[in-house]
Amino acid sequence: MNPMSLHHESQSMKIAQRFKALPVAAVVAMAAIATLAVAQAPGMTSGPSGTRRALLICIDDYRAVQGLMGAENDVRTLREALRQHWGFEDRNIQTVLNQQATRAGILAALGQLVKQASAGDFVYVHYSGHGSQVRDRNKDEPDGLDETLVPHDGRTPGVRDITDDELDAVFARLQARSAVIVLDSCHS
């Protein structure tokens, strides 16, 4: 057998063992980052050409909707994975958890990320919580439904879900070399 092939198999085994203990959400997110890193390696460099920024939004506890289990743990693990395996600095990882993740809180955090990010940055956004669907008001969806994120205070009087159209408007203003957006939610 080719010695190079043995070395490659040994490295693959080490990587597989290292990630075996991580929750599925963290592994999926890291795979997405790795894919982007291979496709756009310059976007993953930090220093004068850009900063690695992350916004991690997690909701296990809802005011008016049945809660989830595990989202907060996934985001905590993901934060560590971003720091340890991808070189994100702690000061550039913003976490919005449970009661902080109101409609206003999520939109404010996204707005802050848009203001902070610059053209050379790599941006990672992760949402872990409930998703849903609502009637499409601007008729841009073939199925007549907008996909939504359900904030902590969602489904209470006067509080709407955050629609895909609203997210599109926010991300359209994002100045970054590259971005990965992971929405760990259902939309049913």
Side-chain angles (χ1 to χ4, degrees), residues 34-51:
T35 300
L36 187 63
V38 169
Q40 300 179 353
M44 285 298 289
T45 61
S46 59
S49 65
T51 301

Side-chain angles (χ1 to χ4, degrees), residues 5-77:
S5 176
L6 285 174
H7 173 73
H8 191 63
E9 285 179 33
S10 173
Q11 287 296 90
S12 295
M13 296 277 290
K14 286 179 187 175
I15 291 170
Q17 288 172 346
R18 187 167 65 182
F19 292 123
K20 195 175 189 179
L22 292 176
V24 172
V27 173
V28 168
M30 291 185 336
I33 292 170
T35 300
L36 187 63
V38 169
Q40 300 179 353
M44 285 298 289
T45 61
S46 59
S49 65
T51 301
R52 297 176 198 191
R53 300 183 186 282
L55 172 59
L56 310 176
I57 303 164
C58 154
I59 312 171
D60 273 334
D61 177 36
Y62 285 85
R63 280 191 199 162
V65 178
Q66 182 176 353
L68 297 172
M69 293 179 56
E72 188 172 348
N73 186 54
D74 288 350
V75 167
R76 202 174 305 122
T77 303

Side-chain angles (χ1 to χ4, degrees):
M1 184 173 262
N2 179 343
M4 195 62 152
S5 176
L6 285 174
H7 173 73
H8 191 63
E9 285 179 33
S10 173
Q11 287 296 90
S12 295
M13 296 277 290
K14 286 179 187 175
I15 291 170
Q17 288 172 346
R18 187 167 65 182
F19 292 123
K20 195 175 189 179
L22 292 176
V24 172
V27 173
V28 168
M30 291 185 336
I33 292 170
T35 300
L36 187 63
V38 169
Q40 300 179 353
M44 285 298 289
T45 61
S46 59
S49 65
T51 301
R52 297 176 198 191
R53 300 183 186 282
L55 172 59
L56 310 176
I57 303 164
C58 154
I59 312 171
D60 273 334
D61 177 36
Y62 285 85
R63 280 191 199 162
V65 178
Q66 182 176 353
L68 297 172
M69 293 179 56
E72 188 172 348
N73 186 54
D74 288 350
V75 167
R76 202 174 305 122
T77 303
L78 180 56
R79 180 185 189 92
E80 284 306 305
L82 289 171
R83 287 180 57 246
Q84 293 177 9
H85 300 288
W86 297 105
F88 282 71
E89 294 181 22
D90 214 31
R91 65 189 168 110
N92 295 323
I93 303 173
Q94 181 183 5
T95 304
V96 180
L97 299 173
N98 292 316
Q99 291 81 6
Q100 300 169 328
T102 61
R103 177 180 167 78
I106 291 170
L107 293 174
L110 288 166
Q112 181 181 1
L113 179 66
V114 167
K115 285 180 186 173
Q116 291 175 338
S118 60
D121 291 355
F122 173 81
V123 174
Y124 179 81
V125 177
H126 187 98
Y127 172 84
S128 187
H130 281 302
S132 191
Q133 293 178 315
V134 297
R135 187 177 53 80
D136 177 23
R137 292 185 179 160
N138 64 355
K139 306 214 184 306
D140 68 335
E141 303 284 348
D143 65 356
L145 297 171
D146 277 324
E147 284 68 38
T148 69
L149 303 182
V150 181
H152 167 74
D153 56 348
R155 311 296 165 92
T156 60
V159 180
R160 295 180 293 116
D161 289 359
I162 300 169
T163 67
D164 54 5
D165 294 327
E166 290 175 283
L167 293 174
D168 183 50
V170 170
F171 293 130
R173 297 190 326 263
L174 181 64
Q175 298 292 310
R177 180 177 183 99
S178 48
V180 172
I181 301 163
V182 175
L183 303 177
D184 180 11
S185 61
C186 67
H187 296 285
S188 54

